Amino acid sequence: MNRINQKLQEDKKILSIYFSAGYPNLNDTVQIIQDLEKSGIDMIEIGLPFSDPLADGPTIQASSTQALHNGMTTQVLFDQLKDIRKTVSIPLVIMGYFNPMLQYGVENFCKKCAEIGIDGLIIPDLPVDVYADEYKATFEKYGLKNIFLITPQTSDERIHFIDSVSDGFIYMVSSASVTGSQSGFGSVQEEYFKRIAGMNLKNPQVIGFGINNAETFNQATQFAKGAIIGSAFITHLTEHGTGKIEAFVKAIR
């Protein structure tokens, strides 16, 4: 069974952390992953930096830009991760935009992910219709889960379609904004969380965007299986480097 599915079956709320590969320094990637697992994180999203990250707010954009300046590329990331499964056992997901994957070759990209031990991909700019028609068979061939995003504006019809072609979790974007642009959840978001929870989808939901401390993590996981923290962790890396990762995680739960 895929590690993502195994993790989602555990009787606990999932905490996933996102960071940009190659940030703060090019060769920090593996150490950050290892330290996150040791600190009790359940799942990690490894950001593949891209020059035009549409869904990312200024914090993640800045880290992505710095990582590119540091020399991060698709091949460099694959080279860094080639032995990651010797030391890390939790689910690993690559989050990135479709252009670098297309340039690398979608099948080659998926094959490489499978060889390394990547469990899934999050590709915000790959429409679910295109995925279902053109790429689903390739992802399944290499045992990769493709994780789709929904927002408060996504129609029920489309949510059900996404649910039907998914076999992992659904990434619930908490609001119609970019990452890192809000703090805390109001009644509108809670109604959205409740609405999705009431749809009885076959895939569990994990909430992202706006999770930055214990309070927002607990708020989000009242209604969903887990939550994702990105911008707040990158801010922590910017301010403290890679030396205080455990303290960051302990402050969340």
Side-chain angles (χ1 to χ4, degrees), residues 14-18 41-45 91 93 169 206 217 226-230 253:
I14 301 301
L15 175 55
S16 180
I17 293 283
Y18 168 94
I41 291 301
D42 299 298
M43 184 161 53
I44 299 171
E45 293 175 21
V93 175
F169 65 90
V206 180
F217 176 75
I228 301 159
I229 295 178
R253 64 173 188 192

Side-chain angles (χ1 to χ4, degrees), residues 68-87:
L68 291 170
H69 288 160
N70 290 346
M72 180 52 67
T73 65
T74 304
Q75 190 58 53
V76 168
L77 178 59
F78 285 151
D79 290 344
Q80 288 181 349
L81 297 179
K82 68 182 188 298
D83 295 320
I84 196 67
R85 286 302 175 192
K86 292 179 180 177
T87 57

Side-chain angles (χ1 to χ4, degrees), residues 43-55:
M43 184 161 53
I44 299 171
E45 293 175 21
I46 305 160
L48 177 59
F50 181 54
S51 56
D52 190 21
L54 300 176

Side-chain angles (χ1 to χ4, degrees), residues 132-236:
D133 291 343
E134 298 183 31
Y135 300 110
K136 188 171 187 282
T138 303
F139 277 58
E140 290 176 347
K141 175 181 174 182
Y142 294 103
L144 294 168
K145 306 299 180 185
N146 196 18
I147 312 301
F148 290 98
L149 284 71
I150 63 171
T151 74
Q153 285 69 43
T154 308
S155 69
D156 286 4
E157 181 184 16
R158 194 159 185 83
I159 290 170
H160 281 299
F161 179 58
I162 286 170
D163 191 44
S164 73
V165 300
S166 299
D167 179 30
F169 65 90
I170 292 173
Y171 188 134
M172 275 180 68
V173 176
S174 65
S175 63
S177 63
V178 293
T179 55
S181 61
Q182 65 181 54
S183 180
F185 300 119
S187 59
V188 173
Q189 277 127 336
E190 289 205 357
E191 285 303 313
Y192 161 56
F193 298 162
K194 288 176 186 174
R195 177 171 69 85
I196 302 302
M199 290 179 71
N200 297 315
L201 303 175
K202 70 182 176 75
N203 291 277
Q205 300 92 56
V206 180
I207 297 175
F209 291 47
I211 320 291
N212 50 32
N213 54 25
E215 180 187 1
T216 46
F217 176 75
N218 291 332
Q219 264 187 296
T221 53
Q222 282 181 50
F223 307 100
K225 178 62 178 176
I228 301 159
I229 295 178
S231 297
F233 181 63
I234 288 173
T235 297
H236 180 84

